[in-house]
Amino acid sequence: MGDLSSLRIWREPDLEGRMPWYRAVADNHRPAKFRIARYVPVAVALDAPEEALWRELEAKTPVFLDLWRRIRKREADLPAARKPTPNLVDLCRELAYRMLAHCNFCRYDCQVDRTQGAKFGTCKLAHESRVSTYFHHLGEELVYRGRMGSGTIFFTSCNMRCAFCQNGDISTDKDNGRAVSPRTLATMAWLLRVEGCHNVNWVGGEVTIHLHTIVDAIALLDELRPTEEDLAAALPAKADYYLRFGVDAEGTYYRGAFNAPMLWNSNFFMSAPAMKILRILMDVWLPDFKFGPGRCAPLLSKTPFYWETVTENLRLVHEWGEEFTIRHLVMPNHVECCTAPVLKWVAENMPDAPVNIMDQYHPDNFCDPGNPKFNSKYQDLTRRITRDELRQAFRYGRELGIRFESLSCEKNSTGLRV
Ligand code: SF4
């Protein structure tokens, strides 16, 4: 398994000493949060009313945080005692399924019963989760791809409707890919990790809309020993040849069981209840922060409440002391209305947050004149960004003191010199 902490990028001024928890789990020196949460007992029957389950989550979150803090500071390790049943991971899993029956995974709060699939919410999904593909992603930021890649699992469909979506084949086609059971999904995560990936990168489309399947898969991981049947179910969606990387299962285990940082790679349009579950299970977060507070989110992605939802969720992960990096995609003709206020907000609210100011926008989906779906109302998004636009975005970043240079400049996809 690659040694993520030895990368030179961690010695650059923006990132020096940053994200110690993520690196410790990636390098297998500490157990992931979901492994720790297994040792927090819950004192409620899992068939209790949902309100009682939420009260128990509120009550046991500080207990979990205290154990996590001691393990982080190396004052403790996973307890030697047997894992209690039920425990905090079981509770998170149960809550995710209760939410599915009146879906409030994201800010749309559709309240449809996705277990039945008779009515659909904005994401148009019932209970089934589909994976488009999964592989060692060598295009993510260096802090995630490292030497062996980020173990990226792509889910289909989305709750936002970005006209320019750079992953439109996945996000706009909910039937893309293959239906996965939680066990198959856990096997995919297991495979990526035992082949050396530095993290399990849950991404879409959008991941929030698959919260129940992901939490269920995570709940299986620490006991998982995939069978031939599990591998046969998981391998067809894999985009890279798994024997190419070799498999070292035991070498990636921590105290005899699966261990990897869980990475939440999301548009951050989650609901407050979803955030409470993710706080227990995610080791590192990768939020997108696309639009300014004006009309761009509703006009370009048909998403109301965008600014208040995403800034509130960012504020939460920052207040909670979680480790994260922010992505902002610079869009043509949107530097003043989107890039400037996004960077200003970060500077005013979390000036220490690392940001990737991304230059790789290309016209796609409804903004691509060569696509049959093209809509001329998106005319101002039909080109790549100019050198001047990128220069202006970076200038704002520098003037505001944003920590962006290490993440943004280690690879420049457009080749623009600024
Ligand atoms: S995930 Fe979001 S968009 Fe989909 S049904 Fe639930 S609340 Fe609605």
Side-chain angles (χ1 to χ4, degrees):
M1 193 173 60
D3 177 7
L4 189 73
S5 288
S6 67
L7 294 174
R8 286 168 59 106
I9 195 166
W10 298 112
R11 297 201 288 279
E12 296 198 8
D14 289 353
L15 293 168
E16 191 160 16
R18 307 301 299 266
M19 304 171 84
W21 175 255
Y22 160 59
R23 284 186 282 137
V25 180
D27 290 343
N28 243 351
H29 300 313
R30 299 278 89 189
K33 283 165 79 181
F34 78 91
R35 297 280 315 274
I36 299 170
R38 278 288 191 205
Y39 289 88
V40 177
V42 296
V44 66
L46 294 181
D47 59 358
E50 189 177 339
E51 295 77 6
L53 300 182
W54 283 112
R55 276 198 301 277
E56 184 66 0
L57 185 74
E58 295 287 346
K60 290 301 162 64
T61 295
V63 177
F64 164 75
L65 293 176
D66 184 56
L67 180 56
W68 179 38
R69 179 186 56 77
R70 288 187 287 120
I71 290 177
R72 236 171 24 203
K73 292 179 142 187
R74 297 175 189 262
E75 295 168 3
D77 201 340
L78 292 179
R82 285 171 69 89
K83 289 176 278 192
T85 315
N87 55 55
L88 201 49
V89 176
D90 300 322
L91 180 61
C92 289
R93 178 186 176 279
E94 180 63 28
L95 277 167
Y97 279 108
R98 297 293 183 96
M99 290 168 77
L100 185 72
H102 56 85
C103 192
N104 60 339
F105 285 169
C106 79
R107 176 62 176 81
Y108 276 114
D109 193 15
C110 300
Q111 292 293 326
V112 293
D113 182 355
R114 287 177 51 189
T115 65
Q116 300 300 316
K119 259 180 99 180
F120 298 107
T122 303
C123 62
K124 298 201 176 93
L125 295 183
H127 59 86
E128 182 180 86
S129 288
R130 297 181 77 85
V131 165
S132 170
T133 184
Y134 67 108
F135 53 90
H136 294 231
H137 200 322
L138 299 171
E140 300 288 61
E141 289 89 340
L142 184 54
V143 297
Y144 300 118
R145 72 176 188 276
R147 296 185 177 89
M148 294 296 291
S150 176
T152 308
I153 302 178
F154 288 89
F155 292 85
T156 59
S157 196
C158 193
N159 50 354
M160 290 177 66
R161 298 283 182 272
C162 300
F164 53 87
C165 183
Q166 313 279 282
N167 267 340
D169 51 336
I170 303 173
S171 64
T172 62
D173 177 8
K174 73 178 180 57
D175 299 321
N176 186 306
R178 292 166 178 267
V180 290
S181 69
R183 189 168 175 98
T184 301
L185 190 56
T187 303
M188 292 172 171
W190 181 91
L191 260 174
L192 290 166
R193 179 60 166 174
V194 302
E195 290 172 2
C197 286
H198 302 285
N199 45 63
V200 177
N201 182 345
W202 306 104
V203 70
E206 171 54 29
V207 275
T208 302
I209 58 185
H210 301 282
L211 185 72
H212 57 301
T213 319
I214 294 171
V215 174
D216 202 349
I218 291 173
L220 294 169
L221 274 171
D222 58 339
E223 302 277 336
L224 188 72
R225 296 288 185 278
T227 62
E228 288 299 319
E229 206 176 306
D230 294 326
L231 292 173
L235 281 171
K238 196 164 188 295
D240 41 19
Y241 181 47
Y242 91 105
L243 288 177
R244 185 185 137 206
F245 299 96
V247 167
D248 175 18
E250 295 297 327
T252 63
Y253 287 172
Y254 184 90
R255 300 239 330 234
F258 179 93
N259 193 47
M262 298 289 123
L263 165 56
W264 195 250
N265 185 345
S266 161
N267 62 26
F268 252 48
F269 200 63
M270 296 94 79
S271 66
M275 288 294 289
K276 289 179 186 175
I277 292 174
L278 292 169
R279 184 183 195 185
I280 306 294
L281 301 174
M282 290 300 130
D283 297 283
V284 61
W285 310 66
L286 183 45
D288 251 345
F289 192 0
K290 294 183 208 296
F291 303 112
R295 299 277 304 142
C296 297
L299 286 176
L300 300 184
S301 73
K302 299 187 179 157
T303 305
F305 324 116
Y306 177 84
W307 178 264
E308 53 268 47
T309 306
V310 173
T311 54
E312 175 57 20
N313 286 336
L314 282 168
R315 208 188 304 273
L316 276 179
V317 290
H318 188 250
E319 270 173 26
W320 290 342
E322 296 284 320
E323 296 178 1
F324 64 99
T325 65
I326 298 172
R327 280 179 174 168
H328 172 72
L329 180 67
V330 181
M331 297 180 291
N333 298 302
H334 284 263
V335 172
E336 298 309 319
C337 51
C338 292
T339 301
V342 160
L343 296 182
K344 186 162 180 285
W345 187 90
V346 172
E348 287 171 356
N349 292 277
M350 45 193 70
D352 53 338
V355 180
N356 183 3
I357 300 176
M358 300 191 297
D359 64 359
Q360 59 259 55
Y361 176 90
H362 61 274
D364 207 333
N365 219 24
F366 297 98
C367 301
D368 174 8
N371 189 319
K373 291 192 282 185
F374 175 65
N375 186 327
S376 58
K377 74 178 175 182
Y378 302 119
Q379 191 61 41
D380 67 344
L381 289 162
T382 56
R383 62 168 173 81
R384 288 180 176 262
I385 60 169
T386 63
R387 182 174 297 130
D388 279 347
E389 285 171 326
L390 185 59
R391 194 177 284 141
Q392 183 61 24
F394 282 5
R395 188 177 299 133
Y396 282 136
R398 286 189 191 105
E399 286 170 4
L400 290 162
I402 299 283
R403 293 167 179 261
F404 73 94
E405 306 212 21
S406 303
L407 286 179
S408 310
C409 301
E410 51 101 354
K411 65 177 189 298
N412 186 327
S413 60
T414 61
L416 288 176
R417 291 189 176 278
V418 288

